[in-house]
Amino acid sequence: MAKANPKAPWVTTTNRANHAEKYLRWFVDFCPSAIAMFDCNLNYVLVSQPWVKMLGIPRLKLIGTNIYESLPVALSHRQGLERCLIGGQMHYSAEVRIGVRGESANNFQLAVQPWYTDDGSAGGIIIASYAIDRQSEVLEQRLQEEILERQYFEDAFTKIGTALESTNDAICITDRTGQPIYINSAFSDLFAYSLSALQKPNQFAELFTEIQLFQAIHAAVNYGGTWSGELELRDRDQKHIPISLRVNPVKSPNGSVIGMTYVCTNISDRKAAEAEINKSFAALGATLEATADSILVLDAIGNIIICNQKFVDMWRIPSHIFTSDDAHILQYVTERIKSSQYLHNFGKHLSSEQNSFEIVELEDGRTLECYSQPQNILNSCAGRVWSLRDITERLAAEAIVKASEEKYRLQAEKLESALQNLKNTQAQLIQAEKMSGLGQLVAGIAHEINNPVNFIYGNLTYADNYTQDLLSLIETYRNQYPHPNQVIQDKLEEIDIDFLVTDFVKLISSIKVGAERIQQIVKSLNKFSRSDESGCKYVDIHEGIDSTLMILQSRLKANSHRPEIVIKKHYGNLPAICCYAGQLNQVFMNLLTNAIDALEEDNQANGNWQVMDDKPQWIRKDGKVSIISITTEVQNVNQSCDRLIVRIADNGKGIPQELSNRLFDLFFTTKPVGKGTGLGLSLAYQIVTENHGGKLSFNSEIGKGTEFVIEIPLKQPKAI
């Protein structure tokens, strides 16, 4: 036989059983003999086509009806039929005369015998009918039928054998004495025995670890009973294998036991899984006992699966209650609950996917923290785990903490305010020191540069006059002596006297322009630093802005990363403004520096230099030109409170909304590490608001740019 496939799905066996049932139906339909099968109430179960033809009644009208309704003549043989039905008589035959729909009646021989269920009890009777006339033909027909029947049963046995070989269970069929007559491949593979080896005397009994158990099973099944259970059997190498064994009797048609079937299922994997589960339960038990919480696990219908000792101690459950049934334990618990939302009914109204958390108060004054979680297996609720913790002492400690919380909070607020003031003061001192040092440095450098530049500029007039005189003298010589000697002629050609005369005049003029430029820069530095002024003075704001732009001129020019930044001035007609000029110039410096940084970042992200027509050109998809616009005006609020408005705007990428609330915070910066300190805008805000009693605000739109607005009074209260 073919070797059984241990991995074949169970559906294969089911399909084979369905095929066997189909073949049985075909057997009944195409059987040439008139055969009918009746249950224990003598109602039709199955009928063959010849039986239908014999009675002249359709099959569907026969099934489920009583034999006496379709075959009244059977009433005269009722006792014989009932004896077969109760097992008192194994065979019964009778001769009857049957007529169909007015046709002449014919004589038939009825052969009756009982049929049995799997448990050995009589399930009903089978009746076969044979026409008595033409005995020779009948005998020949019966012989043919027997041949066909034998072929059918041989085919059926082949199919049954294939089904047995395909099953994963190990199957052994023995005779009445316990001698094996058949084993499938699964049995041979499991126990390492061939059929011939297993047929040796007492060899089959050697599979059992206890011979008395084998004998008891054999005796019980020999009397028509069945046996099932789990035990260990031994294979040929004496290895013990855990087996789920089912033993059923094989009965003859008369109901006597003629053999037994042993169906063995290897449960080694299941036993190993159970052992692992037991280990897991042991570990779970140890974990539950080690946890600080009391744990209660209920199944889906509210029975206790497990609880730890802390649960018993928390609820102070007496031993006589704890050893009773689960209902008494849970009732004892609920009677001690003063208030709860879920615990008093153990979550009966919670869904299979809903967790719960609540604070439970007990009758004895204790307070519990209660948490529950459902346990779902294969999308169905298998129970719920409850975790409880006594928080009475913790709540008392929290009450003490809350009592002094307000005091500590006020102290913390005072300390935080003092710390913030200290940070601000420290930053101001640092910045003031830097600005003071920077102002002194700028003033010193300007002074040191101014002296030699004034010396150079003051002598340029004389140098120019002397140069004109010398050039005039040379020209006079050339006119008076148009043909000098060869030595002078060679020297004039060597120095290219015509070019020298023209270029030297330009050189003196260029030196004069450079000296004037240096004087202008020195003047701007002095105005920016205001080192020669102290306190609040009336100044020209436009001069402060222009001097700041002069210092930042190098950053406004084009470089390798961006084109030139265009400055657009929209100056209003301003009077002299009373302010701290040096501080206000620092505000202009910080705001303009931030605008330049924003435009540089925007340009680097959206454009680049390209060579076109042998000239470098800045190419940007949106065609935007970097612009910083400066607008000044006087806002007439009333005669006593006119205010100066200075707007410094760029057309960069703008400031994100989430950063707008922190822009003036101390040490806050959006620039990379090493490039920004977070002091510029904070100090500018302080200078404008605190030192000048004004306002510093901004408007920004992503993709459009940012505008800072400085607003200060035209006259300070402490003006000198």
Side-chain angles (χ1 to χ4, degrees):
M1 295 184 181
K3 185 175 180 180
N5 180 9
K7 296 183 179 180
W10 67 270
V11 179
T12 305
T13 305
T14 304
N15 290 339
R16 293 184 181 280
N18 293 337
H19 283 302
E21 182 180 356
K22 186 186 298 181
Y23 290 140
L24 178 60
R25 174 68 63 183
W26 289 345
F27 171 76
V28 172
D29 288 343
F30 298 100
C31 179
S33 299
I35 298 176
M37 185 176 185
F38 301 87
D39 61 15
C40 58
N41 295 320
L42 296 181
N43 293 328
Y44 281 96
V45 178
L46 293 173
V47 294
S48 66
Q49 189 62 31
W51 184 280
V52 173
K53 185 176 180 181
M54 178 184 73
L55 296 182
I57 301 174
R59 176 181 296 159
L60 294 179
K61 290 186 177 182
L62 290 176
I63 300 301
T65 63
N66 196 270
I67 186 174
Y68 301 122
E69 295 177 11
S70 58
L71 193 62
V73 70
L75 285 170
S76 58
H77 303 280
R78 184 169 186 170
Q79 292 182 353
L81 297 178
E82 291 179 351
R83 284 197 300 273
C84 286
L85 186 62
I86 63 177
Q89 183 174 343
M90 301 306 298
H91 298 282
Y92 175 79
S93 63
E95 182 175 338
V96 297
R97 189 170 181 80
I98 303 173
V100 180
R101 294 182 181 179
E103 297 179 2
S104 59
N106 295 319
N107 293 328
F108 291 89
Q109 183 74 26
L110 300 181
V112 185
Q113 71 177 44
W115 59 273
Y116 297 88
T117 62
D118 291 338
D119 60 2
S121 61
I125 61 173
I126 297 176
I127 301 178
S129 174
Y130 307 95
I132 296 178
D133 296 334
R134 297 177 293 175
Q135 291 295 326
S136 60
E137 294 181 5
V138 171
L139 291 176
E140 183 178 356
Q141 183 179 358
R142 184 179 298 174
L143 178 61
Q144 293 296 327
E145 291 173 354
E146 289 179 355
I147 293 173
L148 293 174
E149 182 179 4
R150 181 172 180 178
Q151 291 176 350
Y152 170 79
F153 280 115
E154 287 178 353
D155 184 55
F157 278 125
T158 300
K159 291 181 173 61
I160 292 173
T162 302
L164 292 176
E165 290 299 323
S166 300
T167 183
N168 292 330
D169 291 333
I171 299 176
C172 175
I173 302 176
T174 69
D175 59 16
R176 182 180 177 85
T177 65
Q179 182 71 4
I181 59 176
Y182 169 81
I183 61 172
N184 66 352
S185 299
F187 191 96
S188 178
D189 293 340
L190 181 60
F191 296 104
Y193 278 105
S194 63
L195 180 60
S196 59
L198 205 60
Q199 288 175 339
K200 294 179 180 180
N202 299 323
Q203 191 63 55
F204 184 70
E206 289 295 324
L207 294 177
F208 291 80
T209 56
E210 299 179 9
I211 191 66
Q212 295 83 357
L213 178 60
F214 167 71
Q215 293 172 350
I217 295 173
H218 183 77
V221 178
N222 248 339
Y223 282 103
T226 61
W227 189 93
S228 63
E230 294 181 0
L231 71 168
E232 286 190 350
L233 298 182
R234 294 179 293 202
D235 63 7
R236 193 165 189 171
D237 298 326
Q238 300 301 309
K239 178 183 177 182
H240 289 219
I241 305 173
I243 296 293
S244 175
L245 178 64
R246 302 181 299 281
V247 186
N248 295 312
V250 179
K251 296 182 178 180
S252 65
N254 60 10
S256 61
V257 177
I258 60 174
M260 305 174 193
T261 60
Y262 290 78
V263 181
C264 306
T265 303
N266 187 353
I267 58 173
S268 299
D269 293 340
R270 195 192 77 191
K271 289 292 184 181
E274 289 176 354
E276 291 298 324
I277 291 173
N278 291 334
K279 289 181 182 178
S280 298
F281 271 113
L284 175 61
T287 303
L288 291 180
E289 293 303 329
T291 184
D293 298 337
S294 65
I295 304 297
L296 173 67
V297 183
L298 302 179
D299 63 15
I301 60 176
N303 295 324
I304 298 176
I305 298 176
I306 191 173
C307 67
N308 61 358
Q309 185 61 38
K310 290 183 178 64
F311 179 83
V312 179
D313 297 339
M314 172 181 286
W315 294 97
R316 302 163 185 170
I317 303 175
S319 58
H320 69 278
I321 297 292
F322 188 70
T323 54
S324 62
D325 58 19
D326 295 349
H328 282 83
I329 298 174
L330 298 180
Q331 181 181 357
Y332 180 87
V333 170
T334 55
E335 288 175 351
R336 278 145 186 81
I337 298 175
K338 181 178 180 181
S339 66
S340 75
Q341 185 177 0
Y342 307 109
L343 185 61
H344 67 281
N345 59 10
F346 295 100
K348 289 183 179 179
H349 302 298
L350 294 173
S351 67
S352 60
E353 298 179 354
Q354 186 177 357
N355 297 339
S356 72
F357 177 80
E358 61 177 330
I359 301 299
V360 179
E361 295 183 358
L362 304 186
E363 293 288 352
D364 58 9
R366 289 182 295 161
T367 304
L368 306 181
E369 193 175 66
C370 180
Y371 173 78
S372 77
Q373 181 178 5
Q375 300 298 303
N376 296 319
I377 300 177
L378 299 177
N379 296 325
S380 64
C381 183
R384 185 170 287 271
V385 178
W386 295 85
S387 175
L388 302 101
R389 177 175 295 183
D390 190 340
I391 60 172
T392 307
E393 294 182 359
R394 191 184 78 189
L395 291 177
E398 289 177 356
I400 295 174
V401 172
K402 288 180 180 179
S404 58
E405 186 180 49
E406 185 65 19
K407 175 182 176 182
Y408 292 134
R409 186 182 64 81
L410 293 175
Q411 290 180 353
E413 288 180 355
K414 291 179 180 178
L415 290 174
E416 184 178 359
S417 177
L419 179 61
Q420 187 62 38
N421 292 335
L422 181 61
K423 287 182 178 179
N424 292 339
T425 303
Q426 183 182 16
Q428 294 171 19
L429 290 174
I430 292 173
Q431 187 66 14
E433 185 66 25
K434 288 182 178 179
M435 290 305 300
S436 175
L438 180 61
Q440 294 176 6
L441 178 63
V442 169
I445 293 174
H447 179 73
E448 292 299 327
I449 294 174
N450 193 43
N451 288 336
V453 168
N454 286 337
F455 173 78
I456 294 171
Y457 187 78
N459 289 307
L460 280 176
T461 302
Y462 299 104
D464 186 36
N465 294 333
Y466 297 161
T467 300
Q468 293 298 330
D469 291 341
L470 290 173
L471 292 178
S472 176
L473 177 61
I474 292 171
E475 186 62 27
T476 301
Y477 268 102
R478 293 181 66 183
N479 291 332
Q480 295 298 323
Y481 299 97
H483 303 290
N485 60 36
Q486 190 61 39
V487 175
I488 295 175
Q489 185 67 32
D490 292 341
K491 190 62 178 179
L492 291 174
E493 292 178 359
E494 179 184 350
I495 64 175
D496 192 359
I497 187 61
D498 294 332
F499 171 77
L500 188 147
V501 169
T502 304
D503 191 60
F504 192 71
V505 174
K506 294 179 181 180
L507 179 63
I508 295 298
S509 178
S510 178
I511 293 173
K512 185 176 182 180
V513 171
E516 290 175 350
R517 176 66 173 166
I518 293 174
Q519 284 182 327
Q520 187 178 6
I521 292 174
V522 170
K523 184 178 179 181
S524 296
L525 289 174
N526 284 325
K527 287 182 179 179
F528 177 79
S529 65
R530 296 289 178 174
S531 60
D532 55 345
E533 298 179 6
S534 62
C536 189
K537 299 284 187 180
Y538 283 92
V539 297
D540 185 351
I541 290 296
H542 294 159
E543 286 186 356
I545 296 174
D546 291 340
S547 64
T548 304
L549 290 173
M550 176 66 69
I551 295 172
L552 293 174
Q553 192 64 39
S554 62
R555 294 205 59 192
L556 297 173
K557 296 178 180 179
N559 57 35
S560 59
H561 302 295
R562 59 164 176 80
E564 180 184 4
I565 297 175
V566 178
I567 300 295
K568 291 187 177 181
K569 301 177 185 179
H570 307 283
Y571 288 171
N573 186 15
L574 302 182
I577 307 299
C578 182
C579 65
Y580 298 94
Q583 295 181 11
L584 210 56
N585 288 342
Q586 181 62 42
V587 173
F588 298 150
M589 174 69 76
N590 292 347
L591 296 182
L592 288 169
T593 300
N594 283 346
I596 293 171
D597 290 340
L599 292 173
E600 282 185 345
E601 185 177 350
D602 182 52
N603 276 303
Q604 290 177 11
N606 297 288
N608 61 343
W609 288 104
Q610 294 184 12
V611 177
M612 302 183 67
D613 298 331
D614 296 330
K615 294 181 180 180
Q617 292 188 16
W618 179 261
I619 303 300
R620 181 169 171 150
K621 293 181 180 179
D622 55 9
K624 183 191 289 185
V625 177
S626 298
I627 298 174
I628 296 177
S629 62
I630 304 172
T631 304
T632 62
E633 62 180 338
V634 173
Q635 186 180 59
N636 297 316
V637 179
N638 53 58
Q639 292 181 353
S640 60
C641 192
D642 290 346
R643 304 177 75 85
L644 167 68
I645 306 296
V646 180
R647 305 177 189 273
I648 299 176
D650 65 73
N651 62 343
K653 64 179 183 179
I655 299 173
Q657 181 65 32
E658 60 270 17
L659 301 180
S660 60
N661 293 332
R662 302 184 58 192
L663 206 61
F664 296 123
D665 290 353
L666 187 64
F667 302 119
F668 175 76
T669 179
T670 59
K671 299 176 183 178
V673 176
K675 189 173 182 180
T677 63
L679 293 173
L681 289 178
S682 175
L683 291 174
Y685 184 82
Q686 183 180 2
I687 290 171
V688 173
T689 58
E690 296 182 10
N691 297 0
H692 290 84
K695 290 171 57 178
L696 177 60
S697 60
F698 71 94
N699 302 304
S700 183
E701 185 177 350
I702 298 298
K704 296 290 184 65
T706 304
E707 179 187 62
F708 283 88
V709 180
I710 302 169
E711 182 179 343
I712 62 173
L714 296 184
K715 182 184 296 185
Q716 296 297 317
K718 298 181 181 180
I720 298 176

